[in-house]
Amino acid sequence: MAVIVIKNLTYTYPTMDHPALREVSLEVEAGEFVAIIGPNGAGKSTLCYTLAGFVPHFFKGELQGDVYVAGQDIRHVRLEDWVLKVGLVFQNPFNQISGAKFTVYEEIAFGLENIGVPREEMKRRVEEVMALTGIADLADRSPYALSGGQQQRVALASILVMQPEVLVLDEPTSQLDPIGSREVFQVIRQLAHQGVTIVMAEHKVEWIAQYADRVIALAEGEIIASGQPAEVLTDPRLPEYGIGISRYTAVARQAAEEGLWPPHQRLPVTLEEAAAGFRAIEETDYARLR
Amino acid sequence: MKLVDSIKKDFNTMTLVLIPVAIAINVVIGQIVVLLRLPVYLDSIGTVLVGAICGPWAGALTGTLSNIIWGLLIDPNAFPWFPVALFIGFVSGWCAHFGLFRTWWGVVITGFLVAITAALVSTPIAVYLYGGITASGSSFITAFLLQTGRDLVSAVLSTNFLVEPVDKIATALLAYAIIRGLSRRYLMRFPRAENVTPKKA
Amino acid sequence: MVERLSFYLERNSPLHRLNPTTKLVVAFTLILVAFLGRGLFLPSLIFLLILAPLSFLGQVGREFLRTTLNLLLPLFAFLFVMQSLFYPGGKTVLFGFWIFAVKLEGVRFAFLTATRVLVMVSSFLLLLLTTHPGVLLLDLTQRGLPASVAYILASTLQIIPQMQAKAATILDAQRSRGLDTSGSLGRRIRALLPLVGPLVFGSLVDVEERAIAIEARGFRSSRPKTSLVEIEDRPLERALRWLCLLAFILALGSHLWP
């Protein structure tokens, strides 16, 4: 069943002349992990804000078309209740620290206090989510005295603890090192298996290729490609739109031009795929030489 | 507009998040001014800013909490002066409401009105709590006026009338400069943006 | 510039364990009694017999005395000089020099004012030294302080050190580029703007994202809020607070008594 249904969405921020999103149509199934790629200014963040209800309820502006999440028309929900259904994690970790609390443990519990979760349940959920995101050892630290990566994980935990049906993440790994990024992707993959629907704007295509179910490429507010990660991430048009591709794709494309990539085989996104392709071509080369 | 609605209007989430930043601006600029040994306080720029773009009630709350923070963090002597800060925010909010934040000369008038209010409100506090003499340099003027035979209240009041306008006009102008430096798109998120943006035709 | 959250010092003392509201009520009562009560020596006795011993009970005695003196010594010096010389209605001349005359009434008035201010500042200081601001806010929220006010105070306390650090960085950078922060008055005024501009606009830009962040955490939710921590409040402390009310009424009575 489609949890997110977007039809012909066009949205313009107030005081802006040009729409940030144009004629966007999209469906996402429950438990699906969809990644959104695109250059800066393509509308990734706007799409995230729309699903989370901040467009139009916080930003105002003009919204045309239909956006249904969990069967509800986004235009008619109340933002203060909607945040329970759709969780939003965004890029800048520092700005996601509420400031209301003095320790990490309290910071994560802040959302649960606001929605009136009883104390015992609150503690159980906070501890669970701290274990899941690997920050149990930070419990008594000040959220402001953490590294960017640690703060980003606190921000993620603070939203996960509210158990949203749909989780929207706007470049959540920008402050993380490769190990931290992998941990975040693994946590999110696991949530998708548990039935949480994930929409994630992200630049790190190699991780997307490994973990996402589907990729959508945005440019200038329009969807330019949508489909399996291996398909979309190797789309030859991506660089034209200013969308970064995996270094393995780039290398293999160069190799293909020189006839060093197996013909009819899709270009790789990850190291494993690249290795497999080069191994295959090597074998045929050897075969030819003999 | 009913009172409760008027108060509620000031406080959207943007206001609640702006107020801490505004108080921090008050405190940090206040400290920089001390560091630079300038003959003014400039410790309510944030309060005037909130008053102008979020409204008088938000301005009043910012002023009040600003003094509480100053007391918590730097000097508990600040606590009893909170009514002065409250009225600085409140009066600048109403001045902006009546369109005085659209032009620089309107802002000068705002600064002057804020100064008069601050002088009136701080006088009883200075007189009853400190006997008219506080640690600031302006107390020399008070002492001089006392020597010329004035009574305590009028000596303190005259001192305040002399000292306040320069500081408050500078404060209001700096708050105005900040507002002019912010984009329309940004200002629109605040509840009383119409106070500082051109009127719709 | 000091970069810290508040005056709070972590100790394990009976004073630290008291309910924050109890400490707040006691502080207010002592201040009101000092200002309303009669007797030239009442405020000084409150300081010497109640506040100073309590500060040692709270294991913050040295910091308490040092900070109080730091905050008040300049004011007191100023107060005594000015009031003893210029107190209106002073008649009894203690001694005179050049064109000045030190009058008894002025000295008495300065002493009373100074000790009252001493009680005011040191009562608050003792509360702040022994109470974590977060715990105080939590307790007050549970007693009806609006969550938005508690949010504003807590986040201000955490933003200020960040902004002070940023100010120090900008100040250093500007100085190394030849910005003059000593020099004449005109120069110092011109030094202010390049310092303050980046600081102010930098912090204002963040407001929008921070607003989204707290909305995303259900801050505006219409449901009744709950609290992670419960602050202890003992019957004995409740009794103490009623006692404070009684003390206040007595002081008020003596103040109004003809």
Side-chain angles (χ1 to χ4, degrees), chain B residues 15 18-19 22-23 45-56 58-60 62 89 93:
Chain B
T15 306
L18 177 66
I19 292 176
I23 298 174
I45 297 174
T47 306
V48 175
L49 174 74
V50 174
I53 65 178
C54 304
T62 308

Side-chain angles (χ1 to χ4, degrees), chain B:
Chain B
M1 196 167 15
K2 270 194 246 145
L3 183 65
V4 180
D5 294 332
S6 155
I7 296 174
K8 268 191 186 158
K9 187 188 169 186
D10 285 10
F11 295 98
N12 65 15
T13 310
M14 287 295 281
T15 306
L16 292 181
V17 178
L18 177 66
I19 292 176
V21 175
I23 298 174
I25 289 173
N26 286 346
V27 171
V28 176
I29 294 186
Q31 288 181 318
I32 292 175
V33 164
V34 172
L35 201 75
L36 294 178
R37 290 173 288 115
L38 298 179
V40 281
Y41 301 111
L42 300 186
D43 55 3
S44 24
I45 297 174
T47 306
V48 175
L49 174 74
V50 174
I53 65 178
C54 304
W57 307 103
L61 183 69
T62 308
T64 307
L65 298 184
S66 195
N67 268 48
I68 289 180
I69 291 287
W70 196 279
L72 282 174
L73 203 63
I74 298 162
D75 183 355
N77 271 301
F79 288 129
W81 299 93
F82 82 86
V84 183
L86 186 157
F87 277 98
I88 290 172
F90 193 66
V91 171
S92 40
W94 284 114
C95 287
H97 178 76
F98 290 111
L100 288 179
F101 253 79
R102 292 183 207 281
T103 54
W104 69 268
W105 52 267
V107 173
V108 172
I109 295 173
T110 303
F112 188 72
L113 292 175
V114 168
I116 301 295
T117 320
L120 287 172
V121 181
S122 61
T123 297
I125 301 172
V127 168
Y128 290 112
L129 252 48
Y130 295 85
I133 303 291
T134 57
S136 81
S138 61
S139 292
F140 284 111
I141 308 175
T142 314
F144 172 77
L145 292 170
L146 286 174
Q147 273 306 82
T148 64
R150 297 240 199 161
D151 64 291
L152 187 60
V153 174
S154 75
V156 174
L157 194 61
S158 319
T159 309
N160 287 340
F161 279 140
L162 271 163
V163 179
E164 289 285 349
V166 175
D167 179 47
K168 295 303 178 286
I169 290 173
T171 299
L173 283 171
L174 282 169
Y176 181 63
I178 293 173
I179 291 169
R180 297 307 295 262
L182 295 170
S183 72
R184 207 167 107 76
R185 197 193 74 86
Y186 178 82
L187 286 171
M188 271 181 49
R189 306 244 176 283
F190 296 98
R192 312 262 181 167
E194 74 275 7
N195 285 349
V196 295
T197 45
K199 269 186 192 146
K200 272 180 201 148

Side-chain angles (χ1 to χ4, degrees), chain C residues 66-237:
Chain C
R66 205 189 48 219
T67 315
T68 307
L69 285 180
N70 278 344
L71 288 173
L72 291 178
L73 224 46
L75 173 69
F76 287 175
F78 203 63
L79 203 65
F80 271 94
V81 172
M82 298 296 236
Q83 295 290 13
S84 56
L85 296 176
F86 304 121
Y87 180 68
K91 289 185 186 68
T92 323
V93 177
L94 289 177
F95 59 90
F97 59 97
W98 193 31
I99 54 164
F100 298 113
V102 174
K103 299 173 204 92
L104 178 65
E105 290 81 358
V107 176
R108 282 174 63 105
F109 182 73
F111 178 74
L112 186 62
T113 308
T115 49
R116 278 175 171 172
V117 172
L118 175 68
V119 170
M120 180 182 81
V121 169
S122 64
S123 299
F124 283 131
L125 193 65
L126 187 56
L127 164 76
L128 299 176
L129 280 165
T130 59
T131 314
H132 189 283
V135 177
L136 178 62
L137 287 173
L138 213 57
D139 192 47
L140 291 177
T141 313
Q142 281 166 20
R143 294 175 196 274
L145 181 78
S148 49
V149 173
Y151 160 76
I152 291 170
L153 288 172
S155 74
T156 309
L157 286 175
Q158 305 201 70
I159 287 176
I160 288 176
Q162 319 273 340
M163 224 156 128
Q164 285 170 329
K166 226 193 278 176
T169 315
I170 298 172
L171 192 67
D172 284 345
Q174 306 274 30
R175 269 184 186 149
S176 67
R177 265 183 253 147
L179 181 96
D180 193 357
T181 52
S182 40
S184 70
L185 179 63
R187 279 207 176 149
R188 279 177 280 138
I189 291 175
R190 262 172 282 149
L192 186 67
L193 292 180
L195 238 172
V196 160
L199 194 65
V200 167
F201 289 108
S203 49
L204 286 175
V205 165
D206 289 342
V207 167
E208 191 170 83
E209 272 196 359
R210 290 164 49 88
I212 292 172
I214 64 164
E215 289 246 19
R217 306 277 290 283
F219 189 63
R220 290 253 139 172
S221 166
S222 49
R223 304 183 184 189
K225 293 184 197 286
T226 47
S227 171
L228 174 69
V229 190
E230 194 176 20
I231 310 276
E232 211 187 338
D233 195 12
R234 289 162 293 190
L236 200 66
E237 295 195 39

Side-chain angles (χ1 to χ4, degrees), chain A residues 54 59 80 83-84 90 92 95-96 98-102 105 107 110-111 113-117 119 144 158, chain C residues 132 134 151 154-155 158 162 206 209-210 212-213 215 217-228 230:
Chain A
F54 288 90
F59 288 98
E80 58 265 39
V83 296
L84 299 183
F90 50 90
N92 184 338
N95 285 344
Q96 291 178 85
S98 73
K101 299 294 172 181
F102 294 86
Y105 194 104
E107 173 71 17
F110 177 62
E113 293 183 320
N114 288 332
I115 59 174
V117 173
R119 186 171 298 144
Y144 283 96
S158 302
Chain C
H132 189 283
Y151 160 76
S155 74
Q158 305 201 70
Q162 319 273 340
D206 289 342
E209 272 196 359
R210 290 164 49 88
I212 292 172
E215 289 246 19
R217 306 277 290 283
F219 189 63
R220 290 253 139 172
S221 166
S222 49
R223 304 183 184 189
K225 293 184 197 286
T226 47
S227 171
L228 174 69
E230 194 176 20

